[in-house]
Coordinates of all heavy atoms in Angstrom, one line a residue:
Chain H
V16 N -19.9 33.5 2.6 CA -20.9 32.6 3.1 C -20.3 31.9 4.4 O -19.1 32.2 4.8 CB -21.2 31.4 2.1 CG1 -21.8 32.0 0.8 CG2 -19.9 30.6 1.8
S22 N -18.6 23.8 3.3 CA -18.6 22.3 3.5 C -19.7 21.6 2.7 O -19.4 20.6 2.1 CB -18.8 22.0 5.0 OG -18.7 20.7 5.3
N26 N -18.9 18.9 -0.1 CA -19.4 17.5 0.0 C -20.6 17.2 -0.7 O -21.0 16.0 -0.9 CB -19.6 17.2 1.5 CG -18.3 17.2 2.3 OD1 -17.4 16.3 2.1 ND2 -18.1 18.2 3.1
S102 N 3.2 -14.3 7.1 CA 2.6 -15.6 7.6 C 3.1 -15.9 9.0 O 3.1 -17.1 9.3 CB 2.9 -16.7 6.6 OG 2.4 -16.4 5.3
E109 N 0.4 -8.0 14.8 CA 1.0 -6.6 15.0 C 0.6 -5.8 13.7 O 0.3 -4.6 13.9 CB 2.5 -6.8 15.0 CG 3.3 -5.6 15.4 CD 4.8 -5.9 15.1 OE1 5.3 -6.7 15.9 OE2 5.3 -5.5 14.1
S116 N -4.6 1.0 14.1 CA -4.1 2.3 14.8 C -4.2 3.5 13.9 O -4.1 4.6 14.3 CB -2.7 2.1 15.3 OG -1.8 2.3 14.3
D132 N -10.3 -18.3 15.9 CA -10.8 -17.6 17.1 C -10.4 -16.1 17.1 O -11.2 -15.3 17.5 CB -10.3 -18.3 18.4 CG -11.1 -19.6 18.7 OD1 -12.1 -19.7 18.0 OD2 -10.7 -20.3 19.5
I135 N -12.5 -14.3 14.7 CA -13.9 -14.3 15.2 C -14.0 -13.2 16.3 O -15.0 -12.4 16.3 CB -14.4 -15.6 15.7 CG1 -14.6 -16.6 14.5 CG2 -15.7 -15.5 16.5 CD1 -14.6 -18.1 14.9
L165 N -12.9 -27.4 -7.4 CA -13.1 -27.3 -8.9 C -11.8 -27.2 -9.7 O -11.7 -27.8 -10.7 CB -14.0 -26.1 -9.2 CG -14.4 -25.9 -10.7 CD1 -15.1 -27.2 -11.2 CD2 -15.3 -24.7 -10.9
P214 N -2.9 -44.7 -4.4 CA -2.1 -44.1 -3.3 C -0.6 -44.2 -3.6 O 0.1 -43.3 -3.1 CB -2.5 -44.9 -2.1 CG -3.8 -45.6 -2.4 CD -3.8 -45.8 -3.9
D221 N 5.4 -29.9 -0.3 CA 5.4 -28.8 0.6 C 5.0 -27.5 -0.2 O 5.3 -26.4 0.3 CB 6.8 -28.6 1.2 CG 7.9 -28.5 0.1 OD1 7.5 -28.5 -1.1 OD2 9.1 -28.4 0.5
F222 N 4.4 -27.6 -1.3 CA 4.1 -26.4 -2.1 C 5.3 -25.7 -2.6 O 5.2 -24.5 -3.1 CB 3.1 -25.5 -1.4 CG 1.7 -25.7 -1.6 CD1 0.8 -25.4 -0.6 CD2 1.2 -26.3 -2.8 CE1 -0.6 -25.6 -0.8 CE2 -0.2 -26.5 -2.9 CZ -1.1 -26.2 -1.9
E224 N 9.3 -25.9 -4.7 CA 9.9 -26.5 -5.8 C 10.5 -27.9 -5.4 O 10.4 -28.9 -6.1 CB 11.1 -25.6 -6.3 CG 11.7 -26.2 -7.5 CD 12.8 -25.2 -8.0 OE1 12.9 -24.1 -7.6 OE2 13.6 -25.6 -8.9
T290 N -1.8 -25.1 -16.7 CA -2.1 -24.9 -15.3 C -3.5 -24.4 -15.1 O -4.3 -24.2 -16.0 CB -1.0 -23.9 -14.8 OG1 -1.2 -23.7 -13.4 CG2 -1.2 -22.5 -15.5

Side-chain angles (χ1 to χ4, degrees):
Chain H
V16 301
S22 185
N26 292 292
S102 303
E109 192 189 286
S116 80
D132 278 349
I135 289 164
L165 179 58
D221 57 0
F222 270 153
E224 186 178 348
T290 185

